Amino acid sequence: FMTAVGCIGWLVSTGRPDIAYAHSRVSQHMANPTKSAWDAVKHICRYLKGASHYVLSAPLNEDIPWQFFCDSDFAGNTEPQNRRRSQNGYIAIENGAPVLWGSKVSSVAFAHPDIGEAHADMSSGAAEVYAAANATLEFLYLSYIVDEMALEDFPMPIPLQLDNTTAEAFANNSAFKSKLKLIDARQEWVRTLRNKNILQAVHVDTKGNLADLFTK
C-alpha cells in the first residue's frame, strides 16, 4: 500500500494533477491502511491505465496570461481519520498549461493551544480564507522560480480566482464588520497578504474554478 501510494504521489508531483485529490485521500490511510483504501488505490491505477494518453500541453504561438485558482471544501470528508478537516486545492496556469498544483487537508491555527492539533474549521468562510492564504504561499514560491528563469510576465499582485464571497471580502478588505471571529489571531499571515497587496481576490463562478478539481 505504501509503495503504491508513493508511486501515485510521484505521478501527482510530476504531471498528473487530475489524481491529486484522490492521492490526498488515500494518503490519509498510510498509518492504518484499510481494505477500502486499498480498493481506492487499485481504482486510481485502473483510471491511470485508461487515461495514459492524457498530457499537459500549451500552444506554441500564443501568449495566454497567467491564471491562479484556489478552492476549499467545508468538512466534506466524513472519514474518521480526517476529523472533518477541510480540503484545500490550488493550481497555477502559465500560457494555458498547469505548472503548479496541489490538494491537501488544511492545517489551521489551533483555536486554543491546549487542543494541540489541527482541527475542523467552524465556518466555510474561514476555510476559504485559509485556502487562499496557503495557495498564495505556493504561488509566491512559484514567483521566485519564475524570477530565476528570467521570465518577466509574472503578475503582482497575484490575481487569485476564488468562488467564496466571504474570502473575497476579507482579502479585499471590504468587510467592515467581519464575522470571522474564528480565525485565530496567530494567523497574521492572512492579514499580511491583504494589507501588503500581495494578492487581488477575483471572483470566479464555481463552475469555472479549476481548483475545484482538487477538493472533490
Side-chain angles (χ1 to χ4, degrees), residues 29-213:
H29 295 273
M30 291 287 275
N32 186 26
T34 62
K35 182 180 183 301
S36 61
W38 178 240
D39 289 340
V41 167
K42 292 189 290 185
H43 182 80
I44 294 172
C45 292
R46 288 193 296 270
Y47 167 78
L48 288 169
K49 183 178 180 180
S52 60
H53 60 288
Y54 284 7
V55 298
L56 300 180
S57 63
L60 290 176
N61 301 310
E62 294 185 37
D63 186 15
I64 303 175
W66 283 86
Q67 290 183 288
F68 305 89
F69 298 89
C70 78
D71 197 17
S72 174
D73 76 342
F74 177 48
N77 185 354
T78 60
E79 294 179 305
Q81 87 288 338
N82 187 62
R83 300 189 299 280
R84 285 286 186 171
R85 291 175 294 168
S86 299
Q87 189 81 16
N88 292 349
Y90 60 88
I91 184 169
I93 299 175
E94 199 276 327
N95 199 35
V99 294
L100 180 69
W101 56 81
S103 176
K104 60 185 70 174
V105 174
S106 63
S107 297
V108 302
F110 311 139
H112 192 277
D114 291 343
I115 295 178
E117 64 180 33
H119 53 77
D121 293 304
M122 294 296 193
S123 75
S124 60
E128 292 281 357
V129 168
Y130 285 129
N134 293 336
T136 307
L137 273 173
E138 301 293 340
F139 297 150
L140 287 176
Y141 162 75
L142 177 62
S143 74
Y144 307 145
I145 297 176
V146 172
D147 182 63
E148 289 186 4
M149 296 175 66
L151 301 177
E152 299 179 354
D153 62 340
F154 195 89
M156 291 295 284
I158 299 170
L160 183 61
Q161 301 186 61
L162 57 163
D163 56 18
N164 183 273
T165 55
T166 303
E168 289 174 49
F170 189 84
N172 290 325
N173 201 19
S174 58
F176 296 102
K177 293 184 178 180
S178 175
K179 297 180 180 179
L180 296 179
K181 296 179 181 179
L182 302 170
I183 294 182
D184 194 306
R186 288 172 294 176
Q187 278 284 357
E188 197 61 34
W189 170 245
V190 180
R191 294 180 176 84
T192 300
L193 291 175
R194 180 189 65 191
N195 297 339
K196 297 297 183 179
N197 199 30
I198 298 299
L199 69 85
Q200 178 185 6
V202 179
H203 182 77
V204 61
D205 187 84
T206 300
K207 294 180 179 179
N209 190 347
L210 298 185
D212 191 60
L213 170 70

